[in-house]
Amino acid sequence: MAAALIVSLAATIAPDHVQIDEDGRIHLGAPAPTPSPSTADPEPESTEPPLTREAVDEVIRAAVAAAGLDPEQGRPFAAGADSKRTGWTAVREKDAAQSEMKAVCADLERQGWKLNPDPRGDRPEARSYKRGGWYLLVNTREKSGAPSTTSAPTGTQAELTLTGIQLNLSDIPVPLPEITVRIG
């Protein structure tokens, strides 16, 4: 399950380098690029200064509050000394979670975060944003990956989660070698 979550996050953050086919096979790395006249040039990386984890924590708290939620009622991710990860999650009613996710996303856009589009098309349960060297994944899910010491969603509930990861994509060699992984 952890591998599936990591691959899903990777596919949302770096869609050019992760492809999942109909058989459930996951391809990491991009095959040799084939130029296409209809392909738009990629958006250049922002030159704005990198954000700190504390700044991203504040962005998350503000977006959650803008959605009408109390940031203290959810669980912040215990990042400890890891200054490149942060997040927040809460168990919500399934019907409310979708509208709250939309409100969180609207506030992130208001704060200047840029949508990182998913090449597989619009996915109502997940959105990825980028800004200042950080990627924020906002998603809802019915199944919980939470430890048994926390409350898991019931059939009418879902988790609303914001996950922040600081990545320096210039450290990733391009093109990546192609690797195929089968999970399950």
Side-chain angles (χ1 to χ4, degrees):
M1 173 129 138
L5 180 61
I6 291 169
V7 169
S8 177
L9 181 60
T12 303
I13 292 173
D16 302 355
H17 302 291
V18 179
Q19 294 86 35
I20 303 171
D21 64 21
E22 295 82 31
D23 298 334
R25 293 176 190 247
I26 302 162
H27 303 277
L28 304 174
T34 55
S36 168
S38 64
T39 304
D41 290 335
E43 188 176 309
E45 284 297 314
S46 172
T47 57
E48 71 179 297
L51 296 173
T52 64
R53 186 180 93 191
E54 292 77 18
V56 176
D57 286 340
E58 186 54 40
V59 163
I60 290 171
R61 280 191 294 278
V64 166
L69 301 169
D70 180 357
E72 301 304 317
Q73 296 300 311
R75 295 185 320 261
F77 292 0
D82 187 354
S83 63
K84 296 182 183 232
R85 287 185 331 131
T86 190
W88 180 90
T89 189
V91 176
R92 308 293 304 148
E93 288 301 315
K94 198 184 307 184
D95 295 335
Q98 282 297 318
S99 64
E100 292 163 348
M101 182 184 135
K102 289 177 184 176
V104 165
C105 292
D107 192 68
L108 290 174
E109 291 173 15
R110 182 195 61 75
Q111 292 185 54
W113 287 76
K114 302 291 181 211
L115 183 63
N116 193 23
D118 188 334
R120 297 171 289 175
D122 190 26
R123 294 184 354 176
E125 74 281 357
R127 294 272 189 263
S128 173
Y129 292 88
K130 59 185 173 179
R131 181 175 171 215
W134 283 81
Y135 289 82
L136 271 178
L137 176 64
V138 182
N139 70 316
T140 60
R141 62 181 173 171
E142 292 180 35
K143 295 183 180 178
S144 173
S148 60
T149 58
T150 62
S151 63
T154 66
T156 62
Q157 295 178 321
E159 283 183 329
L160 173 60
T161 305
L162 285 80
T163 306
I165 299 174
Q166 184 180 32
L167 294 176
N168 184 354
L169 296 180
S170 65
D171 291 342
I172 299 174
V174 177
L176 292 172
E178 186 170 354
I179 301 168
T180 303
V181 178
R182 172 106 173 138
I183 296 177

